[in-house]
Amino acid sequence: MEMWSPWHGCHRISPGCANCYVYARDAAYGKDSSVVEKTKSFDLPLRRDRQGNYKLRCNSPVFTCGTSDFFLPEADPWRLEAWSMIKARPDLTFAIITKRPQRFYVNLPLDWGQGYPNVRLYCTVENQAEADRRLPVFLSLPLRYRAINCEPLLENLNLTAYLNPQLLKKVSVGGESGPHGRDLSYQWVVAIRQQCLAYGIPFAFKQTGTHFIKNGRRYTIPRQLQHQQAIRAGLDYPKP
């Protein structure tokens, strides 16, 4: 998966942010992650090589704003230009993950309509309180593609009020990585899967996280095996 980070830096706003990987990585280099700045890659989607071809070319979705949140207030002055670059590259699909769906309309392009076909928006929820706060807003937005990311999942969730197969393309679940990763229970994962199956909504178990509890036993799983172990659980629906 290619990445495009037009700006860098973010602010912790909920329990899921406690062990943010961006903060941890920046701290290792003495960088303050709370400072939001445009990056040198801001115009990456429009850059071309000497032959005039776009440098950013891929068949998989472009992970967008992975070291920030696309809808941060500090990014308001830059967002329209970012949207224009997204529109200019209909050959690419841009995957945007946010914890701030309530700011979606700030500097939204006038021609957005029901959404640009090449934009996939994902809303992150980590506990019931955030699900109940964010998802009603998220489901009301004009989007061609929307999905829910329960990552890092911190408790058992009841998502049945939000599982509308006419609106949702997918629900994904994942644990928290890193030495301070909080526990993920296999039972929580299965519970969300069962809810999704009841409504015919695709489900994916992305990763176990560092600490994974199953059948009363707590496992510590190396980072390089967390995705593999999730796949081995065989919970994805429909099957790959």
Side-chain angles (χ1 to χ4, degrees), residues 48-49 61 73 84 94 129 137 139 149 154 166 171 220 229:
R48 298 178 184 265
D49 59 24
S84 72
F94 294 85
V137 176
L139 294 178
N149 275 12
L154 301 179
Q166 302 303 314
V171 174
T220 298
Q229 291 297 317

Side-chain angles (χ1 to χ4, degrees), residues 117-133:
N118 64 334
V119 172
R120 296 183 179 183
L121 192 61
Y122 301 77
C123 184
T124 298
V125 297
E126 65 267 35
N127 58 26
Q128 194 67 50
E130 295 305 328
D132 294 340
R133 187 185 346 268

Side-chain angles (χ1 to χ4, degrees), residues 68-89:
S68 185
D69 191 306
F70 195 76
F71 301 103
L72 275 178
E74 288 93 333
D76 288 352
W78 314 321
R79 195 173 303 108
L80 275 177
E81 189 175 355
W83 280 130
S84 72
M85 288 187 279
I86 289 172
K87 181 183 177 182
R89 293 297 309 274

Side-chain angles (χ1 to χ4, degrees), residues 137-204:
V137 176
F138 183 57
L139 294 178
S140 73
L141 303 179
L143 297 167
R144 302 286 186 94
Y145 185 107
R146 89 187 79 218
I148 298 172
N149 275 12
C150 305
E151 189 174 10
L153 182 60
L154 301 179
E155 65 182 27
N156 194 42
L157 287 186
N158 183 348
L159 298 178
T160 53
Y162 312 113
L163 297 180
N164 185 335
Q166 302 303 314
L167 298 176
L168 277 177
K169 299 294 187 182
K170 192 173 189 178
V171 174
S172 299
V173 170
E176 188 170 49
S177 298
H180 305 294
R182 287 160 285 185
D183 293 351
L184 173 67
S185 171
Y186 179 76
Q187 292 180 333
W188 303 344
V189 180
V190 171
I192 294 177
R193 180 183 188 271
Q194 291 174 336
Q195 294 168 40
C196 289
L197 265 60
Y199 288 87
I201 294 174
F203 171 87

Side-chain angles (χ1 to χ4, degrees), residues 1-116:
M1 176 181 287
E2 294 284 348
M3 298 183 64
W4 172 43
S5 295
W7 44 87
H8 178 89
C10 201
H11 306 296
R12 293 184 171 103
I13 60 169
S14 66
C17 304
N19 297 321
C20 176
Y21 69 93
V22 176
Y23 271 73
R25 187 171 60 190
D26 282 354
Y29 296 95
K31 186 176 177 63
D32 184 356
S33 295
S34 68
V35 177
V36 182
E37 300 174 313
K38 280 174 92 171
T39 68
K40 295 179 181 179
S41 300
F42 180 78
D43 63 345
L44 177 61
L46 301 185
R47 290 182 186 173
R48 298 178 184 265
D49 59 24
R50 292 181 179 179
Q51 288 71 45
N53 300 312
Y54 284 120
K55 291 184 176 181
L56 184 58
R57 292 182 290 175
C58 64
N59 295 322
S60 59
V62 178
F63 184 29
T64 303
C65 233
T67 62
S68 185
D69 191 306
F70 195 76
F71 301 103
L72 275 178
E74 288 93 333
D76 288 352
W78 314 321
R79 195 173 303 108
L80 275 177
E81 189 175 355
W83 280 130
S84 72
M85 288 187 279
I86 289 172
K87 181 183 177 182
R89 293 297 309 274
D91 56 309
L92 296 177
T93 297
F94 294 85
I96 302 172
I97 301 175
T98 186
K99 285 184 172 68
R100 296 167 172 83
Q102 77 281 1
R103 304 201 76 255
F104 173 81
Y105 287 102
V106 180
N107 287 342
L108 188 68
L110 295 177
D111 64 351
W112 178 262
Q114 292 304 306
Y116 291 164

